Amino acid sequence: MFIKVAALACGLMLASIATSADQPALSLHVTGQFAKAPVTLDRAALDDLSAVTINTSTVITDGTHSFTGFLMRDLLDHLGATGTSVTAVALNDYSVEIPMNDFYDYDVIVATHMDGKALRRADKGPFWIVYPRDDHRALQDIRFDYRWVWQLYQLDVQ
Ligand SMILES: Nc1nc2c(c(=O)[nH]1)N[C@H]1C(S)=C(S)[C@@H](COP(=O)(O)O)O[C@H]1N2
Ligand SMILES: [Mo]
């Protein structure tokens, strides 16, 4: 009986580990001077935003990849977050201030998947800001490369 229960518990544990490995916990913090701030979006909240895919090369990967996530402007509109800039903060303490206009001039996404696979921390996840670099000559510039924040953790809207 004990063995059966232990085996069952073990099986359940493995099942939940497998599930969490497929779907790593997601939370994105958004702060700033808007009514809903500060807010933490979990997977369910992020799933409400339409999925968008961008195919592009990057400065730090070989070849072209497909990145799927949600548009930064959809997220900001959804939260009613307005301002002139968004400071993106990463898990490794990297941060950069991004002009708000970028998100309205270009289809900048917060990617959660690359080539159909969920991004892990080890491959620059769980969130990676991706610009449609190959579609716009203007984006093929170091000033924009700084804004491709990987291991994104927080957005501060000002
Ligand atoms: N989380 C995080 N994102 C980051 C960086 C970083 O150090 N940490 N470096 C930025 C810079 S300066 C550039 S040019 C691009 C490519 O950085 P990499 O070549 O260091 O990967 O990512 C940007 N995003
Ligand atoms: Mo850089």
Side-chain angles (χ1 to χ4, degrees):
M1 176 59 181
F2 171 75
I3 290 172
K4 246 192 190 163
V5 171
L8 182 65
C10 196
L12 287 174
M13 234 163 72
L14 286 175
S16 74
I17 288 166
T19 312
S20 65
D22 286 346
Q23 300 240 300
L26 281 186
S27 60
L28 180 62
H29 307 277
V30 190
T31 55
Q33 302 298 316
F34 56 98
K36 288 183 184 161
V39 59
T40 298
L41 296 123
D42 61 8
R43 181 182 299 282
L46 297 171
D47 281 349
D48 280 348
L49 303 167
S50 315
V52 171
T53 296
I54 288 178
N55 293 300
T56 187
S57 58
T58 82
V59 282
I60 58 171
T61 58
D62 291 329
T64 297
H65 295 275
S66 101
F67 292 93
T68 303
F70 47 88
L71 289 170
M72 188 72 94
R73 64 170 171 274
D74 280 358
L75 171 70
L76 297 169
D77 291 349
H78 179 76
L79 296 175
T82 55
T84 55
S85 73
V86 174
T87 299
V89 184
L91 289 168
N92 68 340
D93 283 342
Y94 177 83
S95 74
V96 69
E97 190 178 325
I98 303 176
M100 186 66 87
N101 285 348
D102 277 16
F103 311 131
Y104 294 87
D105 293 344
Y106 305 104
D107 292 340
V108 180
I109 67 168
V110 176
T112 53
H113 290 72
M114 184 171 85
D115 302 328
K117 277 174 43 196
L119 289 166
R120 314 289 170 85
R121 278 191 198 193
D123 33 49
K124 311 228 182 262
F127 301 104
W128 188 357
I129 298 178
V130 170
Y131 280 72
R133 191 176 202 276
D134 290 0
D135 294 340
H136 303 275
R137 199 65 233 216
L139 296 180
Q140 294 159 30
D141 184 286
I142 185 82
R143 283 178 305 134
F144 290 97
D145 295 336
Y146 296 144
R147 300 174 191 169
W148 286 60
V149 177
W150 36 268
Q151 291 186 339
L152 176 68
Y153 159 77
Q154 185 188 346
L155 297 169
D156 186 43
V157 184
Q158 294 301 325

